[in-house]
Amino acid sequence: MATAVYPGSFDPITYGHLDIIRRAAEVFDKVIVGVLKNQTKTPLFNFEERVDMIREVVKDYPNVEVVSFHGLLIEFTKQVHADVIVRGIRAVSDFEYELMMAQTNKQLHPDVETMFFATSAKYSFLSSSTVRELAMFDGDITPFVPDYVRQKVYEKIDEHRQTEISGDPASGCQEGSGAD
Ligand code: COA
């Protein structure tokens, strides 16, 4: 039984990510969406919120699970007994970094393969930061994220605006302290 991990920070998940998840779920017996907890970027959503949004939008895929992780991707992949890491390639510019990551991971655990899916052309320009920035400036993100996610993004941005108005520094986005 082939199990794949599809990792990322998903801040937030977009139709581009969903396209890869859907296609990977057709190829592999099981797909585990690995949500990175300890990312270097400061996220808009904490990992619990990111996991919640992904679970909601993949609920109709019976062979997709959503799990958060911290530390090295390759160690997480071994822990969940996956054989493959799936990555999407949007453009040639993604390739150099992806190749370096795949080769490093191969060096650490030669029995885990990295497989690349070519992102569908209509999502090749899309990134989570584009979605965040559009929403921040009241742009329409409907074409890029599912309704559930769109609502959460606008709510979160409103929350941030309220925080800025009230000047409460303690209510910024914090990573939760719960278990994975
Ligand atoms: N559709 C839409 N957007 C996509 C996409 C797709 N198919 N593929 C990538 N993107 C976007 C992401 O949303 C992200 O956008 P953002 O930078 O605006 O937030 C951007 O492209 C980069 O994506 P990605 O390369 O997947 O970065 P990431 O931060 O989401 O995930 C990890 C990177 C988690 C895979 C990587 O950092 C990791 O494995 N970390 C753990 C530590 C480790 O093992 N390091 C590697 C050692 S070799």
Side-chain angles (χ1 to χ4, degrees):
M1 177 165 155
T3 299
V5 162
Y6 178 51
S9 41
F10 306 107
D11 187 35
I13 188 160
T14 69
Y15 280 135
H17 298 124
L18 271 173
D19 172 56
I20 304 282
I21 294 169
R22 182 188 52 77
R23 287 158 56 203
E26 282 169 12
V27 172
F28 299 101
D29 298 301
K30 183 170 161 188
V31 175
I32 298 173
V33 180
V35 183
L36 183 66
K37 242 162 117 173
N38 61 329
Q39 60 196 92
T40 45
K41 310 170 195 169
T42 305
L44 178 63
F45 292 98
N46 68 39
F47 77 89
E48 285 144 333
E49 294 166 327
R50 286 178 276 137
V51 165
D52 164 76
M53 282 186 283
I54 304 169
R55 286 204 175 125
E56 176 61 30
V57 298
V58 303
K59 65 180 182 206
D60 293 332
Y61 302 134
N63 60 337
V64 176
E65 261 179 40
V66 187
V67 178
S68 66
F69 76 101
H70 55 86
L72 287 178
L73 168 62
I74 192 73
E75 297 307 333
F76 169 68
T77 306
K78 295 297 288 181
Q79 267 168 30
V80 294
H81 307 290
D83 325 280
V84 174
I85 294 170
V86 163
R87 297 286 291 162
I89 300 271
R90 291 168 299 171
V92 178
S93 51
D94 280 344
F95 188 72
E96 206 172 325
Y97 171 69
E98 294 300 335
L99 184 64
M100 180 278 290
M101 220 167 74
Q103 288 171 337
T104 308
N105 286 333
K106 187 82 183 160
Q107 189 76 29
L108 295 171
H109 280 292
D111 52 334
V112 174
E113 290 294 343
T114 299
M115 291 191 187
F116 299 117
F117 279 60
T119 302
S120 298
K122 62 179 174 176
Y123 302 125
S124 61
F125 61 91
L126 192 53
S127 74
S128 300
S129 46
T130 307
V131 167
R132 293 195 302 270
E133 192 167 332
L134 275 172
M136 212 101 64
F137 293 105
D138 300 317
D140 183 13
I141 58 171
T142 311
F144 311 126
V145 295
D147 283 351
Y148 183 81
V149 175
R150 179 173 49 84
Q151 212 174 315
K152 296 281 177 190
V153 171
Y154 287 129
E155 276 171 21
K156 179 62 82 176
I157 284 172
D158 275 350
E159 240 174 68
H160 274 255
R161 284 183 181 145
Q162 293 307 322
T163 306
E164 276 164 24
I165 292 166
S166 70
D168 176 6
S171 50
C173 174
Q174 303 283 328
E175 286 290 22
S177 55
D180 286 5

